[in-house]
Amino acid sequence: MHGPALSGWLLMALCGATGAYCLLRARDGTERERRSARAEALMGFGMAAMAVPAALLTLPGWTWVVYAVVFGAASLRAVARAGDGGHHLHHLVGSLAMVYMALAMAPGSSHAAGGGHAGHGAGTAGGVPVLTGVLLMYYALYVLRSAGRLIPAPLPVGIPVGGGAPTGVGPGGRPELALACRLAMGTAMFAMLLTL
C-alpha cells in the first residue's frame, strides 16, 4: 500500500479493530458462522499488518513471502469450502487479492521499484493495472452492496419495533455489526488496492 503514513495508521487501526471484533464473533454461532468469522479475522489482521507505516516498523523483505504463503493457504481453504456456499467465494477473492498485493509489493519483484511504501517501504508502484482495476471494481461493488444491506428496510404494518432480536451472528446476535465489519474491510481493501 502506497501513500501518506496517516492513511496507513488509519487502515491499520480500522483493520485491527475489525479483526478483533471478528475474533469475538468466532466464539458464537454455528460452525459455518465461526469459520467465516475466523477467515474475516485473518483478513483483518493481515490487512492491518500490511498497512503498518514504515515509520513504526520496517519488516524484512521475506515478510512479503510469508504474507503470500499465509493468504495462499487461506485461498486454498476457501476453494475447499466454496461448495458450502455462503461467503467463501468472497473470502477466496480477498485472499487472492492479499497474495497479489504481497507479491506486487515484495522487494525485488518485477513490480516493486524501491522506496516510498506507506506500509513497509517495499516499492513505489506495483501490480498489473488490469488486475488491479478488476479487483477495484469488485470491491467497489462489494462495498456498495454491503452498505445497501445496512440500510434498514421499512417494517410492515403491525410488526412492533424491536420485537425480537436476531440470533446467531456474533456477540449479542447483531448481524448488522458483522455487515459493518465486512463493509469496513471491503473499504480498506479498496483503499489498499487504490494505492497499489
Side-chain angles (χ1 to χ4, degrees):
M1 199 200 81
H2 312 281
L6 179 60
S7 63
W9 285 108
L10 293 173
L11 282 172
M12 184 184 81
L14 175 70
C15 294
T18 302
Y21 178 73
C22 290
L23 275 183
L24 289 175
R25 282 186 23 237
R27 298 182 310 169
D28 299 330
T30 65
E31 178 57 31
R32 183 174 169 186
E33 290 168 340
R34 289 193 307 268
R35 269 195 312 262
S36 181
R38 286 190 300 264
E40 289 167 358
L42 174 67
M43 183 65 67
F45 289 134
M47 290 170 60
M50 195 176 274
V52 171
L56 177 65
L57 180 65
T58 302
L59 298 176
W62 55 263
T63 305
W64 299 104
V65 174
V66 172
Y67 281 129
V69 169
V70 167
F71 285 100
S75 299
L76 292 175
R77 184 174 171 100
V79 167
R81 303 260 186 223
D84 295 346
H87 211 61
H88 295 294
L89 291 177
H90 174 71
H91 290 227
L92 175 62
V93 171
S95 295
L96 290 174
M98 291 293 283
V99 170
Y100 168 66
M101 286 191 297
L103 293 176
M105 291 187 278
S109 74
S110 61
H111 301 293
H117 180 270
H120 294 293
T124 57
V128 179
V130 172
L131 182 54
T132 303
V134 168
L135 287 169
L136 282 168
M137 189 179 320
Y138 172 82
Y139 277 100
L141 293 173
Y142 179 79
V143 164
L144 291 172
R145 181 175 161 259
S146 296
R149 292 177 65 197
L150 280 173
I151 298 171
L155 291 174
V157 177
I159 302 291
V161 176
T167 59
V169 180
R174 305 282 310 260
E176 67 274 9
L177 291 178
L179 285 173
C181 282
R182 291 178 185 139
L183 173 64
M185 284 198 298
T187 304
M189 183 67 83
F190 182 84
M192 291 174 78
L193 286 163
L194 193 62
T195 60
L196 187 60

